[in-house]
Amino acid sequence: MSRREGRARTVVAVMPPPPSKCAKFLYYTWKLCSVVFSHLVMISLVVAYCVLGAVTFERLEADHEREVKRNISSLRNHTTQSIWSMTRAAPLLNQTNWTAEVVHMLKDFENSILLEMKVRGWDGSESTDHIQWTFTGALFYSIIVITTIGNVACHHQLMK
């Protein structure tokens, strides 16, 4: 036997037998399950995050919104009572003095209303039965937060 024949024998590789139908089935079933379950897990996490965010926002903001609306009613009642008390306490009603005092009280009331609107987010309604921070509104806000963060992150990646 020559050297060439010896090399040829070592070069020939033995091919493994092709996978059985059962092995192919298990392989592709595993691939399908891993893709489906990974997507289901991701979708479930996003939905759970939105629902948890909605519950959190509703709990945090609904009480605050009711408090702001009660505060507005209190401000209105206080201003009305102050005007009435001033009117009853006056021994003689002088239109000029009474008007000047009422204008001053109403300006204070306007400033308080503007403060409630700008700083505390009053929406113009005093009904504590109808609030914006329901579960549905909070869920919508939670979804908006997620999409905004995703949009900003995507934009940031594109800018790199």
Side-chain angles (χ1 to χ4, degrees):
M1 187 169 10
S2 71
R3 284 182 144 173
R4 283 187 143 204
E5 289 175 1
R7 282 189 196 164
R9 286 185 190 164
T10 58
V11 173
V12 174
V14 178
M15 296 294 288
S20 68
K21 288 182 180 181
C22 182
K24 283 183 182 179
F25 175 76
L26 289 175
Y27 174 77
Y28 288 115
T29 302
W30 175 255
K31 284 289 191 184
L32 178 69
C33 288
S34 65
V35 167
V36 169
F37 287 128
S38 66
H39 283 78
L40 284 177
V41 167
M42 183 62 70
I43 290 169
S44 299
L45 286 174
V46 169
V47 169
Y49 183 80
C50 287
V51 170
L52 183 65
V55 169
T56 303
F57 286 130
E58 180 186 19
R59 296 267 169 113
L60 289 175
E61 295 295 334
D63 290 337
H64 174 72
E65 185 177 355
R66 284 187 189 97
E67 177 188 333
V68 167
K69 289 181 180 203
R70 283 190 295 268
N71 195 18
I72 292 296
S73 294
S74 174
L75 281 170
R76 185 181 318 283
N77 291 336
H78 177 70
T79 302
T80 305
Q81 280 302 112
S82 295
I83 291 172
W84 178 246
S85 296
M86 180 199 64
T87 304
R88 287 194 67 201
L92 179 65
L93 281 179
N94 179 343
Q95 182 178 0
T96 307
N97 292 342
W98 185 87
T99 304
E101 189 65 31
V102 168
V103 166
H104 176 71
M105 288 180 182
L106 290 177
K107 282 184 180 180
D108 287 344
F109 177 70
E110 283 178 0
N111 289 334
S112 298
I113 293 290
L114 286 174
L115 181 71
E116 292 293 323
M117 290 173 74
K118 288 181 178 180
V119 174
R120 298 184 50 145
W122 182 53
D123 64 352
S125 169
E126 289 182 48
S127 172
T128 56
D129 296 333
H130 304 301
I131 60 172
Q132 294 177 350
W133 285 102
T134 60
F135 178 78
T136 308
L139 181 63
F140 179 70
Y141 184 74
S142 183
I143 292 169
I144 293 297
V145 168
I146 288 175
T147 56
T148 302
I149 291 171
N151 189 18
V152 169
C154 182
H155 181 71
H156 181 68
Q157 287 294 327
L158 289 174
M159 297 304 288
K160 282 186 175 181

